[in-house]
Amino acid sequence: MKWLGDYVDADMPIKDFVAGMTMSGSKVETYRDLSQPLKNIVVGKVISIEKHTDSEKLWICQLDIGKEQPIQIVTAAQNLYVGAVVPVVLDGGVCIDRHNKTVMKIKKGKLRGVESCGMMCSFDELGMENSDFPYSSPDGILIFNDDPEFEKFKVGEDVIKAVGLDDICVEFEITNNRPDCLSVIGLAREAHATFNKPLKLTPPTFKGIDADINKELSVEVQNPQLCSRYMAAKVKNIKIAPSPRWMAERLRASGVRAINNLVDITNFVMLEYGHPMHAFDARFVEGNKIVVRNAKDGEVLKLLDESTPELKLSSDMLVICNEKEPMALAGVMGGEHSGIQDDTTEVIFEAACFDGVNIRRSAKKAGVRTESSSRFEKGLDPDNAKNALYRALELVEMLGCGEVVNTVIDVYTTPKKPNKLKLDYQWINEFLGADIPEEEQISILKRLDFTYDENTKEVSPPSVRIDIVRQCDLAEEVARIYGYNRIASTVPRLSSHSKQTPMDILQKKLIGIMLSQGCLETMTFSFISPKGYDKCRIEDAKSVKLLNPLGEDTSVMRTSLIPSMMELTAFNINARNMSGRFFEIGREYHPVSDDVNVLPVEKDVLICTLYGENEDFFTAKGIAEEIAEKCGVDIKFTALHSDKTFHTGRCAELTAEGRVLGVCGEIHPLVTENYGIGKTRVYMLVIRLEELLESISGEVKYKSLPRFPASVRDLSLVCDEEISSGEIVDTITAAAKHLESVRLFDMYMGEQIPEGKKSLSYKLTFRKSDGTLTDEECDKAVGKIISSLAAKNITLRV
């Protein structure tokens, strides 16, 4: 927060800050006070030391803590001396247990009979590291005298403020489309827009020494598609030293360990501007030439990370090379000999912009993910490379690290063009369901650093906002700064795109029908195991294979819903759910070509499964008839013997107007055995919804209630076992006149019926629409029916 304060005054209570930033789109994960749990720790000065009379290791020290009377502390530290300025935890103070890393409360007490009113502590007990105080002994008391900025440590001052722990660290969850917010300045812009506070940001500048870098260095970019911009600058007469305390404090608060001034500058700029940089030791830039190119297959590079083995490069990786060999894996990490060393005298600063996809792939192949690669892979603004480089050179001069050559190399083959969008404030209001005045919308966008052209009514986002490409992006910017909580809730208006299609209406209707039949709706995966086809005895099943499947069990797209429903049925039976009715409206995927670029044909299917003591083929058939009746389809059932998934003698094909709608029947025992449920009879109904929809005429015909009485006749017939009831009904219907309905009410096979025969009994209802049907007319119709049946060797039962 102190670093953020350099650019915007976010001096409100921290809870207000994190709430405001979260509501404006920069989600805060958490925040923590860096001073916690430290308490009551001051800067003290040792004014006397004497040996403890009852111990060889203990010392009795008198310390000035800025009060009238000094305090006495007994310690075992051996690195103290008179005049040493140290951190002192007073009575009631809190520090950190350096061994157990737990909170330790200090109380006044006695050591070997001598009163001790506090404790002097090390950097460990302040929760800090040796890198924060490189001059301090890891095993002794932290002594500030050797600090380059020793004059800042005033006796009696709060140590928390003296060492820079008087800060609050806020952690943000930054989405991938906002790489500009992976920086202090990016978040400062967001805070400026959120709280309408002035943004204190000036372009970085440097003076430099008179020299022409082009005479000392050349840069060649061989692949401008992967490297849109490459900038280089040179610094001479390098002076390696620890970074100043303010820089080390900011790095530490951001989770980065301070190393030395040159390395810290590159890390500092990356955190500040969000643009990664690298510094090369000029000695290793052989031939004084930098080449940005694709690696050659077989080239090797040892990265700076000592834990990473030698990396074997491939031609799809982008590398930064000197005249002879690679020096760095572009956008990921420098090579072993390219970094800053203690005897470095000249440095080449690099600021570039690389293709995010290539950087992601290179980092993945290398098995390394760095702060640099994580930023580049999200896509960065090439224009921001200049700000980063100039800021680094500005810091070099500010810290006195070396002499900057006042010219830079800039290879920018295709400069980025500003993105312009029409600002239609009425469309934005309609899109958001809000009523935000045009002036306020313009004001919000200007706070976000957008430029607005009064004449053309166009806005241009800042170059770092690579996520702003469409009108809806502008609407989102306006909404989040205006405040989502200020936009009234409204019911969206349905457009023509929201209308239901005939298939949507049919599916909704089918769901109601199936639920009314006592079926439970299920949903299964569209990808299955190819073994499912074998288990269901489905032959010649060609499926779309997934390129990156989760596993063998989910490696193909299903061409039938039967394997999915059988898996579900077996799961329920094995879970001791001994009866059930389930249905699903799912999709089948039928490939039309072996070419992976050709999409399969997708078909919607209704499948229903029934099992249990009270379920049989006729129940499944009845559900199919219910569907047909409710949808107004004249459906017929024809015995089907060729489908190996179903029982040979208990399966029927569903047709309507010559279209095959599906199949209804009992699952073959071999299939149920394959699923471990061999003793359980399973019945299935499968209906293809596209064919069902085509069979629905859509016309609803009404007829008046009958005015004249009906005549009823019963026929008991004897026929061969192979003849289906449907064939008999078709024959009766074709032969009869004034026939209103035919209903099978009995079937018998037994002693009174010849072997190979069966008896079927039907109730026939006759009715005339224009008068009363006479017995003679009815008997004549029945006689004609009997004659037609006799022609097919179907006789009356005697």
Side-chain angles (χ1 to χ4, degrees):
M1 289 300 291
K2 287 167 67 176
W3 197 349
L4 186 75
D6 292 344
Y7 301 105
V8 65
D9 292 326
D11 51 358
M12 68 283 296
I14 189 62
K15 289 187 177 180
D16 293 344
F17 173 78
V18 298
M21 293 294 283
T22 297
M23 289 303 295
S24 67
S26 302
K27 182 186 174 185
V28 175
E29 282 291 304
T30 185
Y31 68 91
R32 57 190 175 91
D33 188 339
L34 297 183
S35 67
Q36 295 299 318
L38 304 179
K39 181 181 177 183
N40 205 15
I41 307 176
V42 300
V43 177
K45 183 177 182 180
V46 179
I47 55 179
S48 70
I49 300 178
E50 62 179 82
K51 196 76 174 176
H52 195 296
T53 57
D54 196 20
S55 173
E56 294 182 357
K57 294 183 178 180
L58 296 180
W59 300 88
I60 302 172
C61 304
Q62 302 295 324
L63 290 99
D64 179 9
I65 58 169
K67 296 185 178 180
E68 293 183 3
Q69 297 294 328
I71 66 169
Q72 179 175 285
I73 293 178
V74 179
T75 180
Q78 303 300 310
N79 65 328
L80 289 174
Y81 54 88
V82 175
V85 177
V86 297
V88 180
V89 189
L90 302 178
D91 179 33
V94 177
C95 63
I96 297 172
D97 186 333
R98 61 189 300 178
H99 300 294
N100 300 319
K101 299 298 180 184
T102 57
V103 173
M104 181 168 57
K105 189 172 183 180
I106 304 302
K107 293 184 178 181
K108 184 187 297 186
K110 289 185 178 183
L111 287 177
R112 296 286 181 93
V114 178
E115 186 179 51
S116 181
C117 300
M119 184 185 83
M120 292 173 280
C121 58
S122 66
F123 55 77
D124 258 344
E125 286 150 341
L126 294 176
M128 305 179 79
E129 298 180 1
N130 205 167
S131 59
D132 298 313
F133 307 97
Y135 52 82
S136 180
S137 169
D139 300 319
I141 298 298
L142 173 59
I143 298 177
F144 296 128
N145 298 62
D146 297 328
D147 195 287
E149 301 176 41
F150 171 65
E151 67 279 356
K152 292 185 177 180
F153 295 93
K154 309 295 184 184
V155 173
E157 181 186 16
D158 190 341
V159 163
I160 289 173
K161 181 178 180 181
V163 299
L165 290 176
D166 56 333
D167 202 353
I168 295 175
C169 182
V170 182
E171 295 183 19
F172 291 88
E173 179 188 332
I174 305 300
T175 54
N176 288 338
N177 67 321
R178 292 298 306 274
D180 59 298
C181 286
L182 291 171
S183 65
V184 175
I185 289 178
L187 291 170
R189 290 194 182 100
E190 289 297 301
H192 154 68
T194 301
F195 303 107
N196 202 14
K197 297 276 189 174
L199 185 65
K200 301 173 288 185
L201 183 61
T202 56
T205 59
F206 66 96
K207 295 179 180 179
I209 59 172
D210 290 333
D212 187 359
I213 190 175
N214 293 286
K215 294 179 180 180
E216 304 178 32
L217 181 71
S218 64
V219 173
E220 179 186 356
V221 177
Q222 294 184 0
N223 192 337
Q225 284 74 35
L226 298 185
C227 178
S228 56
R229 189 175 195 179
Y230 192 95
M231 300 185 70
K234 193 168 188 178
V235 180
K236 299 180 177 181
N237 298 322
I238 291 297
K239 300 174 183 176
I240 303 295
S243 296
R245 176 156 298 282
W246 63 268
M247 179 176 284
E249 288 174 1
R250 279 160 171 68
L251 291 175
R252 182 186 66 232
S254 301
V256 178
R257 182 171 59 90
I259 299 174
N260 60 52
N261 49 7
L262 263 298
V263 175
D264 292 348
I265 283 174
T266 60
N267 288 331
F268 187 88
V269 171
M270 179 183 68
L271 294 171
E272 188 174 46
Y273 278 87
H275 201 101
M277 292 183 60
H278 190 68
F280 294 103
D281 189 325
R283 291 177 298 178
F284 300 107
V285 184
E286 296 190 31
N288 293 322
K289 184 175 184 179
I290 291 178
V291 181
V292 185
R293 62 170 173 83
N294 287 74
K296 299 174 183 177
D297 287 325
E299 279 188 308
V300 294
L301 176 65
K302 184 68 176 74
L303 298 178
L304 277 171
D305 186 0
E306 296 179 358
S307 63
T308 304
E310 193 172 61
L311 178 64
K312 189 174 182 180
L313 304 174
S314 57
S315 58
D316 57 346
M317 292 179 168
L318 193 70
V319 290
I320 313 299
C321 307
N322 56 30
E323 199 171 48
K324 294 183 178 180
E325 60 185 0
M327 298 186 295
L329 185 59
V332 181
M333 186 181 288
E336 181 180 22
H337 300 297
S338 68
I340 305 302
Q341 302 179 17
D342 292 339
D343 59 346
T344 298
T345 58
E346 290 189 354
V347 164
I348 305 297
F349 276 114
E350 161 202 286
C353 192
F354 305 110
D355 177 71
V357 174
N358 180 264
I359 298 302
R360 170 64 176 162
R361 289 174 178 169
S362 296
K364 193 172 182 180
K365 278 191 174 183
V368 176
R369 194 163 190 264
T370 61
E371 288 284 343
S372 174
S373 67
S374 67
R375 284 169 167 78
F376 275 121
E377 68 188 27
K378 295 174 177 62
L380 295 182
D381 171 32
D383 289 350
N384 200 32
K386 180 179 178 181
N387 293 328
L389 182 64
Y390 278 42
R391 176 57 169 162
L393 300 178
E394 182 181 58
L395 289 170
V396 167
E397 292 187 338
M398 185 185 302
L399 304 186
C401 301
E403 298 174 347
V404 179
V405 174
N406 65 359
T407 55
V408 298
I409 295 175
D410 187 2
V411 180
Y412 199 2
T413 53
T414 308
K416 182 180 177 181
K417 295 181 180 179
N419 183 24
K420 294 185 178 181
L421 295 170
K422 196 77 173 179
L423 179 61
D424 186 343
Y425 81 96
Q426 292 178 332
W427 182 92
I428 289 176
N429 278 331
E430 184 177 350
F431 183 75
L432 296 176
D435 186 18
I436 306 172
E438 181 180 17
E439 297 76 16
E440 188 167 359
Q441 291 188 23
I442 295 171
S443 174
I444 288 172
L445 293 174
K446 285 182 176 180
R447 279 160 56 185
L448 289 165
D449 207 20
F450 286 64
T451 58
Y452 177 69
D453 190 324
E454 293 279 356
N455 298 321
T456 62
K457 302 290 184 181
E458 290 179 331
V459 292
S460 294
S463 61
V464 293
R465 293 299 304 276
I466 61 174
D467 59 311
I468 306 297
V469 293
R470 296 170 294 181
Q471 276 286 328
C472 57
D473 296 326
L474 292 180
E476 181 183 10
E477 295 300 293
V478 170
R480 69 187 184 88
I481 301 301
Y482 177 76
Y484 290 111
N485 56 328
R486 295 176 60 193
I487 299 175
S489 298
T490 56
V491 177
R493 290 180 295 177
L494 296 178
S495 66
S496 58
H497 301 291
S498 303
K499 293 181 180 178
Q500 290 184 318
T501 65
M503 180 60 77
D504 294 332
I505 296 171
L506 174 62
Q507 291 188 11
K508 186 176 181 180
K509 187 173 186 177
L510 289 175
I511 290 173
I513 295 172
M514 299 306 292
L515 292 175
S516 70
Q517 296 299 309
C519 300
L520 300 177
E521 186 174 11
T522 66
M523 182 180 294
T524 57
F525 288 120
S526 297
F527 32 85
I528 63 173
S529 169
K531 295 178 182 177
Y533 298 131
D534 297 332
K535 294 171 75 173
C536 291
R537 307 178 75 203
I538 299 174
E539 298 177 344
D540 301 325
K542 294 183 179 179
S543 300
V544 177
K545 295 182 180 179
L546 298 179
L547 295 177
N548 189 21
L550 297 174
E552 176 65 21
D553 291 342
T554 54
S555 59
V556 299
M557 303 299 290
R558 64 189 178 194
T559 57
S560 170
L561 269 71
I562 294 176
S564 299
M565 194 57 80
M566 282 303 302
E567 289 283 353
L568 183 143
T569 303
F571 176 83
N572 275 274
I573 292 174
N574 292 329
R576 307 189 68 80
N577 183 11
M578 303 314 295
S579 65
R581 293 185 179 186
F582 305 107
F583 81 96
E584 176 179 358
I585 296 177
R587 186 159 290 183
E588 297 176 345
Y589 303 84
H590 299 270
V592 295
S593 170
D594 293 333
D595 187 351
V596 295
N597 296 314
V598 178
L599 295 176
V601 175
E602 301 182 18
K603 294 185 177 181
D604 291 323
V605 174
L606 166 68
I607 186 168
C608 172
T609 184
L610 308 90
Y611 69 91
E613 184 179 354
N614 298 320
E615 308 295 358
D616 56 22
F617 168 81
F618 296 103
T619 307
K621 180 174 178 285
I623 293 176
E625 291 172 335
E626 179 75 6
I627 291 173
E629 182 182 349
K630 289 291 193 296
C631 293
V633 176
D634 185 13
I635 195 170
K636 293 184 178 180
F637 298 86
T638 307
L640 181 64
H641 306 290
S642 58
D643 195 328
K644 293 186 178 181
T645 303
F646 292 88
H647 196 293
T648 306
R650 300 168 187 165
C651 180
E653 188 175 65
L654 283 60
T655 58
E657 299 180 359
R659 300 185 186 92
V660 177
L661 301 187
V663 63
C664 174
E666 180 184 333
I667 295 296
H668 199 285
L670 292 178
V671 175
T672 56
E673 281 185 15
N674 290 337
Y675 284 93
I677 52 173
K679 294 183 180 180
T680 304
R681 290 190 174 187
V682 179
Y683 304 91
M684 278 198 185
L685 167 65
V686 181
I687 298 179
R688 302 183 185 97
L689 299 192
E690 187 175 330
E691 285 77 2
L692 177 62
L693 185 62
E694 291 175 355
S695 303
I696 299 174
S697 65
E699 297 180 4
V700 179
K701 295 182 179 180
Y702 295 92
K703 60 181 180 180
S704 60
L705 294 173
R707 297 167 54 197
F708 302 99
S711 295
V712 180
R713 298 287 189 272
D714 291 343
L715 288 181
S716 292
L717 306 172
V718 176
C719 62
D720 295 335
E721 287 185 16
E722 294 77 14
I723 297 177
S724 68
S725 175
E727 294 178 55
I728 296 176
V729 171
D730 289 342
T731 302
I732 293 174
T733 303
K737 188 177 181 182
H738 306 310
L739 182 66
E740 186 176 77
S741 66
V742 181
R743 184 172 67 86
L744 175 70
F745 65 87
D746 184 55
M747 182 182 76
Y748 175 73
M749 297 173 65
E751 296 179 357
Q752 301 177 21
I753 303 298
E755 187 175 352
K757 300 285 186 176
K758 63 181 178 181
S759 171
L760 299 175
S761 299
Y762 296 90
K763 183 178 291 293
L764 282 61
T765 302
F766 296 90
R767 192 194 306 268
K768 287 176 66 174
S769 60
D770 56 352
T772 301
L773 188 68
T774 65
D775 289 340
E776 292 77 10
E777 290 175 317
C778 189
D779 291 341
K780 185 177 180 181
V782 171
K784 191 173 180 180
I785 290 172
I786 293 172
S787 299
S788 297
L789 292 171
K792 295 186 177 183
N793 198 26
I794 303 171
T795 61
L796 288 174
R797 179 180 174 186
V798 179

